Every structure is written in C-alpha cells, then in structure tokens.
Amino acid sequence: MGPRWKGKGSEGKALADPMSKIVSQLKSSLIQSDSHGLLSGCSVLLEVETEQTALLNRSCFGRPIITAQKDKQWFQLGMEEAFYLCYNLKCLKIFSYDECTKNDDELWNYMKSKRETFPDLFKAYSHLRTRNWVVRSGSQYGVDFIAYRHHPALVHSEYAVLVLSGGDGNANGRLRVWSDFQCTLRLCGSVAKTLLVLRIDKNGVGAGSPSCLESYSVEESTITRWSPEQSREDKTVAENGTEQEICFEHEPSSWSLQRTTSS
C-alpha cells in the first residue's frame, strides 16, 4: 500500500516543501524566541507567536488550544512531542508550575512517572520523526501512533503503528495471541492502513536517563493479510497445510522487513 495523496497537486506540494525543511524552520524559530513550555499533567502547554503557530501546524507538532485571549496562541504538546523538541532538537525549554526549568533527566523521570511505557514510545516516536514521518496519536484506531508521509492535509496516513517491548516482555500486552493479530489487521484494513510493528530492544540497558536511548534498537515489521491472488510466487507450505509467504523487501521509506501471513 503506497501513499494516497489528497487531490491533484498534493504530491507536488509535499515535494516542494519537505517536512525536514519545515521542522528545521520551526527549530530555528523556537530557539530565536527562547521558547518555554509548561508541564501540565501528561502534556506541555506552549505559548507561541503567529509565526510559530503556522510552523507548528505545518510540522504537525501539538494541537492549538482555543482561549479567550485573542492576542495569544497556546499549543498543547504530547509528552513524546515535547521531549522530542526539548531533547532531540534542543529548541524548547520546559518548566514546572514552580517556574523551575527541568533538565533532560528531570523531564525524563517525570514523563516516566506519568506513563510506564514512555521510554519505548518515545524511542519509536523519535525513530519515525527523525526519518521525516509525521507522527500523530493513534488512539482512535487502537494503536500507538499513526504515520503520515507528509502533512495530513495532503496525504492520508500510511501506517498504523504498534510499539512492543523486546527482550523484557510485552509491556503493553498486545499481539500476544493470534486473535490479537487478526483483530488488529482487520481494523487496519478497514481504514486502509498498513500495520507497522516497532519492537524496541533495550539491549540490557536500563531506562534511568535519556542517554539510554542511544543503546536501544528498533526492529521494524509490516504485517498484512496474505492474499493468494496477489501472491502467486515463492510460496511455502507450512506443516499445518496453510500457505504462508514471507518476503523481505527494502523500500525507499526505510521499512526493511515486510512479512505477509495468512489470517
């Protein structure tokens, strides 16, 4: 399943204005204005100017908040979004209600206390973002994230992303039995998305500080329902008599492993 562009000219607009360029512009703008975000539960509130509002919308970071203050614009950033801007891009400072700026370790521990699986989710989020995918919440589809090739106004989301913990068990408790695969694949098929599973392997390193992310590795797998009409070559017959096809494919979008199974 390839990109599904929204209308004529959408692909050309995306190529003319790549996401990497937009994010770079946002980074420069936030650094120049010395932007600060405010911790608020499981999100970060960010007061921005008109230029930054446009860049946040174009790069798909956070969501605008409607307030009674007409001269001010506020954005609500998710934890992964806020930490990516703070830790990876170094363009945002975050402070708490006591007006103390949080350093990377303090912010990391705060976010871990709010969500046990934050280290795995953030590694997956940053893995996609650094490859210039737009990443949004996938809660409406029962997954962790939704990945877009460019801005959602130009293209439909391509991947429904599930994040699994490798090496130390499946922390989120999903895809443990075959029926989990069937339900998830049927849901993804009904909304025209490919299921992308990102398995995070901590390689024996604890999550005490954000520096652990350098030791984490990500295994990428796309899983789709097997179709005999589309898969007439290179078939192997499993011991139980069902036909399965396993194909390894390198794609421009960097997904290295595609596994197609019957369901």
Side-chain angles (χ1 to χ4, degrees):
M1 184 183 301
R4 296 178 297 128
W5 298 99
K6 295 181 177 180
K8 294 181 179 180
S10 294
E11 184 176 6
K13 292 178 181 178
L15 292 174
D17 196 18
M19 188 55 59
S20 58
K21 176 183 176 181
I22 300 172
V23 173
S24 178
Q25 292 172 343
L26 172 64
K27 176 181 177 180
S28 297
S29 180
L30 292 176
I31 290 175
Q32 290 176 3
S33 62
D34 192 26
S35 296
H36 288 68
L38 173 64
L39 275 175
S40 178
C42 293
S43 61
V44 172
L45 302 179
L46 177 63
E47 183 182 354
V48 293
E49 300 172 355
T50 303
E51 175 190 356
Q52 295 162 349
T53 297
L55 288 170
L56 285 165
N57 281 323
R58 289 172 60 205
S59 59
C60 298
F61 279 98
R63 299 184 184 278
I65 301 174
I66 299 176
T67 67
Q69 298 174 302
K70 296 182 179 180
D71 58 334
K72 293 184 179 180
Q73 177 67 64
W74 289 84
F75 266 72
Q76 183 180 40
L77 301 170
M79 292 198 296
E80 292 82 17
E81 294 174 318
F83 199 75
Y84 186 80
L85 293 172
C86 178
Y87 182 74
N88 288 61
L89 299 187
K90 310 292 184 186
C91 61
L92 178 66
K93 298 176 183 177
I94 298 176
F95 61 93
S96 55
Y97 278 106
D98 58 7
E99 297 185 354
C100 293
T101 302
K102 297 284 188 182
N103 61 37
D104 291 341
D105 287 346
E106 291 172 337
L107 188 59
W108 174 263
N109 289 327
Y110 173 87
M111 292 183 172
K112 281 199 308 175
S113 70
K114 293 296 182 181
R115 186 179 300 154
E116 181 183 358
T117 56
F118 175 76
D120 291 341
L121 291 172
F122 179 73
K123 180 64 179 181
Y125 178 90
S126 60
H127 178 78
L128 294 170
R129 265 292 184 179
T130 53
R131 285 156 179 77
N132 297 315
W133 287 87
V134 168
V135 187
R136 304 299 269 176
S137 171
S139 58
Q140 70 270 37
Y141 300 112
V143 294
D144 294 305
F145 301 114
I146 296 295
Y148 296 80
R149 193 170 291 263
H150 204 276
H151 195 283
L154 299 178
V155 66
H156 292 279
S157 56
E158 202 161 329
Y159 292 101
V161 184
L162 275 179
V163 182
L164 304 183
S165 301
D168 58 351
N170 188 347
N172 55 25
R174 291 174 296 187
L175 301 188
R176 290 190 173 187
V177 296
W178 186 244
S179 59
D180 291 342
F181 283 92
Q182 289 180 312
C183 293
T184 305
L185 287 171
R186 286 185 182 277
L187 174 61
C188 291
S190 67
V191 291
K193 302 183 194 322
T194 298
L195 175 61
L196 172 64
V197 177
L198 298 183
R199 185 174 295 275
I200 311 301
D201 194 336
K202 296 182 174 64
N203 296 308
V205 178
S209 71
S211 61
C212 68
L213 295 167
E214 299 177 5
S215 301
Y216 288 8
S217 58
V218 181
E219 179 186 279
E220 308 160 339
S221 302
T222 55
I223 307 175
T224 58
R225 298 181 66 187
W226 180 74
S227 171
E229 289 79 13
Q230 298 176 359
S231 306
R232 299 180 182 275
E233 302 292 337
D234 302 325
K235 296 176 183 176
T236 60
V237 180
E239 293 181 358
N240 61 3
T242 61
E243 290 184 333
Q244 293 182 325
E245 179 189 21
I246 297 177
C247 41
F248 296 85
E249 178 178 337
H250 290 279
E251 301 180 0
S253 55
S254 83
W255 310 136
S256 57
L257 171 62
Q258 180 178 359
R259 174 173 296 169
T260 307
T261 60
S262 58
S263 59

